[in-house]
């Protein structure tokens, strides 16, 4: 905070993605440390590092947490913490307005930090008190992601795009309403015997990946309370039965009666594992791989081990699904069987899996003179197994990295490789790092010879000084080839300010020095083996400014500031300024681009720690039109001059979306997007030394979302003058073609939309023998024989390897569907679908004789 040092708790984390509703920063703590009175910390003796990079979480009492990504051993990572804010959340009943006791809340935030590798992440799991109050302290200033749950109420999910903000200092208060949920009473039975099925896992997917789970009791019954209203997917899994999946409409009227779900028995299979000579293999591990749309995924765990005759048996195979068996033995490559289709209640016999010894790769590492190099590290990136996809968590079949070291004769050898492309890299501290080379293994038992020749590296050395002339300690010095950090190398200065960049290519380098105390101007085209390349640091600068409404003259209290560099960017051949939205792709360092959201009653902002140089500064705010940008020159230790930024209100687009019965369509079922402002312009001052030079350029106006509330109403403001295109998108309703709308400087454009609920068509395509037709294609024709459209797009679909063709959206009406597949006669099917109808039909195709 400013120049103050903070004693903080620092944790090095492995992170795991856990879905969109549950935030993506569940933590696995690898190491912890505390900063001292001077704010410094260090992680030592990390031992066997099992991941190339970590995340670093920094937390201190009274401050919002900071999390930096891409942290690895040998790095110096500094942190700047911000004061946290108090937050009170009150949860009430949507109908009675009474407080709801015991609500569980999962709150999180994620905002960009001072550079492209830094995020301020924050998360808390808390429960409300008897008055429905959730009280927190130290909350960062950002948009809130919130997940509220209670056993009797519908889940409430607040996304970042819902624009729920925690603002600056002072108490922040939020109120949320929850609605009583629906109760589902279900019964699961055997489709053939009508007997109840116990211990069946029932999963109802509601909000994205959030699910409710229950198990059936002795009498096959289950009960779910507090379920959200809507159309959801329900899945049933029970031992000995084919998994069952269907769409379930959850509504008060629909759930009054007990719902009965039927499951059919699963199939079984058996077979033998043999070696390359055909001899049975004892103790081979067996996995079962299911055929998905484009790959075959292995189920969770080993399902059998072969006996003395090399035999195995497997169960719980879904009726009609295509499978293959994958086997493994130590010293052998993975192997798989031919595909087969499971049948309910029946055994599929005669499966054969033949295993082969893995391939071997060996070679010698030498220098450019042919002398063997000992101690070279050979890193081999192993591809995932092509015969089946092993999900993360499996030791076998995964994409992996293997490492070994050359011996005194430069010799190395790697065995047990399965077919596929391998990436091999050789590294040694005295030689130039090699780019990865690809090595392809075609079959098992293959023996491949692969030799490598290393090239001695060059170096660049010098010293770094502070502005006072004293040696600069711990400054990061980096050298790179070209303007975009290709083949870069980094080091730090010692106690005397010395640095040495080694293992360099035989070509000029771009060298720069960055430290806490300042940054030095970059040196370009530095020759290799230069030993006196010195730097003197310059103090960082800052950018300050104000943001006002030009109509009222009042400050705007919440806005976003973006700073783009104007150096090392591609220039347009016509002399015009490059598109600001594309400039991030050409940044020369992660310090170059900064985006900061500011909440200030006075409408002022300050961006500190700015490298001296030329920049473009842009300010934007919700429901505001950005009228100006400013080009500035930041000098060492000074403020960059900026004039006030003017953000006017702009035009408004609003209206209502209803279905054919006049009922509102909500935001879960419809999104409205405004894109493309082709004729809008932007005033830009881009002059040397801050002198204004007025230019007209293309506006960097980004697409906007018009949010739809529970009454079907939408509203979005701050739209620029000119043509904008309205795009409607819905997973369940047919949307009109894209519409160009003309907006003035201000005013309101009203649009009401009446949408028809789409139908859904599912076809199961089989041949005359009842076997699935793999990868069929289909097109939909209207009554005039023309290709039918929905949402202004042609209706066509491609089936999966099980012959399932799904057309998720089709307008109500009469159609002809043409189904084609190579080697089969074209089949035509006449259908008629109503609004919201689900049309499911088995279609038979005739296999042609060749």
């Amino acid at each position: 905070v400013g120049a103050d040092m903070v004693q903080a708790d620092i944790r090095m984390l492995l992170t795991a993605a856990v879905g969109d509703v549950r935030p993506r920063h569940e933590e696995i703590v690898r190491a912890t440390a505390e900063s001292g009175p001077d704010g410094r910390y260090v992680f030592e003796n990390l031992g066997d590092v099992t991941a190339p990079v970590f995340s670093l979480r920094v937390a201190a009492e009274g401050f919002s947490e900071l999390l930096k990504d891409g942290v690895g051993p040998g790095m110096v990572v500094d942190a700047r913490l911000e004061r946290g804010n108090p937050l009170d959340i009150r949860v009430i009943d949507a109908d009675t307005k009474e407080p709801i006791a015991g609500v569980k809340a999962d709150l999180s935030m994620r905002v960009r930090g001072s550079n492209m590798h830094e995020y301020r992440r924050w998360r808390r799991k808390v429960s409300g008190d008897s008055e429905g109050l959730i009280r927190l302290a130290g909350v960062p200033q950002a948009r809130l992601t919130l997940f509220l749950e209670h056993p009797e109420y519908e889940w409430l999910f607040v996304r970042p795009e819902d624009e729920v903000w925690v603002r600056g200092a002072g108490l922040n208060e939020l109120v949320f309403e929850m609605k009583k949920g629906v109760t589902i009473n279900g019964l699961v039975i055997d489709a053939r015997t009508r007997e109840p099925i116990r211990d069946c896992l029932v999963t109802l997917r509601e909000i994205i990946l959030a699910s409710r789970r229950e198990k059936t009791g002795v009498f096959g019954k289950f009960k779910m309370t507090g379920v959200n209203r809507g159309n959801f997917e329900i899945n049933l899994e029970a031992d000995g039965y084919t998994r069952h999946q269907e769409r379930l409409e959850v509504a008060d009227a629909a759930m009054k009666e007990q719902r009965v779900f039927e499951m059919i028995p699963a199939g079984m299979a058996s077979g033998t594992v043999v070696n390359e000579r055909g001899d049975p293999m004892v103790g081979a591990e067996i996995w079962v791989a299911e055929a998905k749309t484009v790959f075959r995924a292995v189920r969770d765990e080993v399902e059998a081990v072969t006996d003395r005759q090399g035999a195995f048996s497997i169960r719980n195979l879904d009726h009609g699904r295509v499978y293959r068996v994958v086997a493994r033995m130590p010293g052998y490559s993975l192997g798989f069987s031919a595909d087969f289709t499971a049948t309910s209640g029946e055994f599929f016999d005669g499966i054969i899996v033949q295993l082969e010894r893995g391939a071997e790769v060996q070679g010698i590492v030498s220098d450019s003179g042919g002398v063997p190099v000992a101690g070279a590290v050979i890193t081999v990136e192993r591809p995932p197994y092509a015969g089946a996809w092993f999900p993360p968590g499996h030791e076998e079949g995964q994409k992996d990295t293997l490492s070994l070291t050359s011996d005194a004769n430069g010799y190395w050898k790697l065995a047990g490789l399965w077919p596929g492309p391998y990436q091999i890299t050789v590294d040694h501290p005295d030689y130039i790092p090699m780019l990865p080379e690809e090595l392809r293994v075609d079959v098992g038992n293959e023996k491949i010879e692969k030799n490598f020749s290393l090239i001695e590296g060059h170096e660049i050395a010098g010293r770094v000084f502070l502005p006072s002339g004293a040696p600069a300690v711990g400054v990061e010095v980096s050298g790179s080839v070209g303007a975009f950090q290709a083949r870069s190398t980094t080091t730090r200065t010692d106690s005397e300010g010395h640095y040495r960049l080694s293992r360099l290519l035989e070509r000029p380098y771009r060298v720069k020095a960055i430290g806490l105390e300042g940054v030095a101007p970059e040196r370009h085209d530095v020759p290799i083996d230069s030993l006196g390349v010195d730097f003197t640091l310059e103090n960082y600068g800052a950018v300050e400014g104000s943001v006002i409404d030009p109509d009222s003259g009042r400050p705007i209290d919440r806005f976003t500031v973006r700073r783009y560099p104007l150096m090392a960017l591609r220039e347009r051949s016509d002399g015009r300024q490059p598109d600001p939205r594309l400039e991030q792709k050409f940044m020369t360092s992660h310090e170059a681009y900064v985006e900061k959201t500011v909440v200030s009653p006075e409408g002022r902002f300050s961006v500190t720690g700015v490298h001296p140089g030329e920049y473009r500064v842009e300010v934007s705010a919700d429901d505001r039109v950005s009228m100006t940008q400013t080009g500035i020159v930041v000098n060492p230790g000074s403020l960059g001059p900026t004039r006030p930024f003017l953000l006017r209100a702009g035009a408004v687009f609003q209206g209502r979306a209803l279905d054919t019965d006049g009922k509102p369509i909500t935001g879960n079922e419809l999104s409205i997007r405004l894109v493309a402002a082709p004729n809008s312009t932007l005033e830009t001052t881009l002059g040397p030394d801050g002198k204004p030079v007025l230019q007209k350029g293309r506006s960097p106006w980004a697409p906007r979302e018009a949010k739809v509330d529970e009454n079907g109403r939408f509203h979005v403001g701050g739209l620029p003058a000119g043509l904008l295109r309205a795009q409607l998108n819905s997973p369940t309703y047919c949307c009109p073609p894209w519409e160009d709308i003309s907006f003035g400087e201000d005013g309101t454009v009203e649009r009401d939309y009446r949408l028809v609920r789409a139908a859904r068509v599912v076809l199961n395509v089989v041949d005359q023998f009842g076997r699935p037709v793999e990868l069929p294609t289909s097109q939909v024709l209207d009554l005039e024989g023309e290709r039918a459209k929905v949402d202004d797009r042609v209706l066509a679909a491609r089936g999966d390897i099980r012959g399932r063709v799904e057309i998720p959206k089709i307008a109500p009406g009469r159609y002809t569907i043409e189904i084609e597949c190579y080697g089969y006669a074209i089949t035509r099917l006449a259908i008629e679908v109503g609004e919201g109808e689900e049309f499911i039909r088995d279609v038979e195709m005739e296999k042609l004789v060749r």
Side-chain angles (χ1 to χ4, degrees), residues 98-111:
E98 293 294 322
I100 303 174
V103 174
K104 292 182 179 180
D106 191 334
L107 304 96
S108 62
M109 294 180 177
R110 171 174 169 162
V111 295

Side-chain angles (χ1 to χ4, degrees), residues 65-69 110-113 115-121:
E65 293 179 354
L66 172 70
L67 193 143
K68 289 194 172 187
D69 294 323
R110 171 174 169 162
V111 295
R112 192 182 299 280
N115 60 57
M116 298 291 285
H117 289 246
E118 179 179 292
Y119 289 91
R120 298 189 180 276
R121 292 182 183 174

Side-chain angles (χ1 to χ4, degrees), residues 96-173:
T96 66
K97 309 303 179 184
E98 293 294 322
I100 303 174
V103 174
K104 292 182 179 180
D106 191 334
L107 304 96
S108 62
M109 294 180 177
R110 171 174 169 162
V111 295
R112 192 182 299 280
S114 60
N115 60 57
M116 298 291 285
H117 289 246
E118 179 179 292
Y119 289 91
R120 298 189 180 276
R121 292 182 183 174
W122 175 90
R123 185 182 187 187
R124 290 290 184 274
K125 291 183 178 181
V126 292
S127 296
D129 59 19
S130 59
E131 298 298 323
L133 181 63
I134 301 170
R135 179 160 289 171
L136 303 106
V139 180
Q141 177 181 304
R143 286 183 293 192
L144 184 68
T145 299
L146 178 70
F147 192 80
L148 299 177
E149 57 182 313
H150 188 280
E152 297 179 6
Y153 287 82
E154 292 185 353
W155 282 336
L156 178 63
F157 180 39
V158 178
R159 300 169 175 83
E161 55 267 28
D162 292 331
E163 297 288 338
V164 176
W165 279 80
V166 173
R167 300 182 182 273
L171 179 62
N172 295 269
E173 296 181 295

Side-chain angles (χ1 to χ4, degrees), residues 255-277:
M255 295 295 106
K256 287 182 179 179
E257 302 294 333
Q258 184 181 67
R259 294 295 300 265
V260 179
F261 301 92
E262 300 181 359
M263 301 184 71
I264 62 175
M268 296 157 284
S270 61
T272 306
V273 179
V274 298
N275 60 19
E276 63 272 21
R277 299 184 303 274

Side-chain angles (χ1 to χ4, degrees), residues 32-90:
T32 61
E34 287 190 3
S35 58
D38 60 351
R40 297 185 180 275
Y41 72 94
V42 64
F43 285 100
E44 294 181 321
N45 301 321
L46 289 176
D48 181 21
V49 178
T50 58
V53 292
F54 298 86
S55 294
L56 200 68
R57 191 189 73 184
V58 185
E61 186 175 356
F63 296 87
S64 60
E65 293 179 354
L66 172 70
L67 193 143
K68 289 194 172 187
D69 294 323
V71 177
M75 297 177 63
V76 176
V77 183
D78 301 314
R80 182 180 294 270
L81 300 184
E82 294 181 354
R83 291 282 179 184
N85 306 289
L87 172 65
D88 281 0
I89 298 176
R90 190 172 298 278

Side-chain angles (χ1 to χ4, degrees), residues 669-721:
E669 301 172 306
L670 177 68
S671 63
I672 302 175
R673 194 166 185 256
L674 299 173
V675 299
N679 64 340
S680 61
T681 60
L682 183 73
E683 293 182 359
T684 309
T685 56
L686 296 171
D689 301 325
K691 295 179 181 179
V693 176
L694 187 63
Q695 296 184 5
K696 291 281 188 178
R698 184 173 182 268
S699 171
W701 186 83
R704 293 269 180 86
E705 297 285 342
K707 306 202 180 306
V708 184
D709 63 17
E710 63 275 7
N711 297 314
R713 299 187 181 279
F714 59 88
H715 173 98
V716 59
L719 304 178

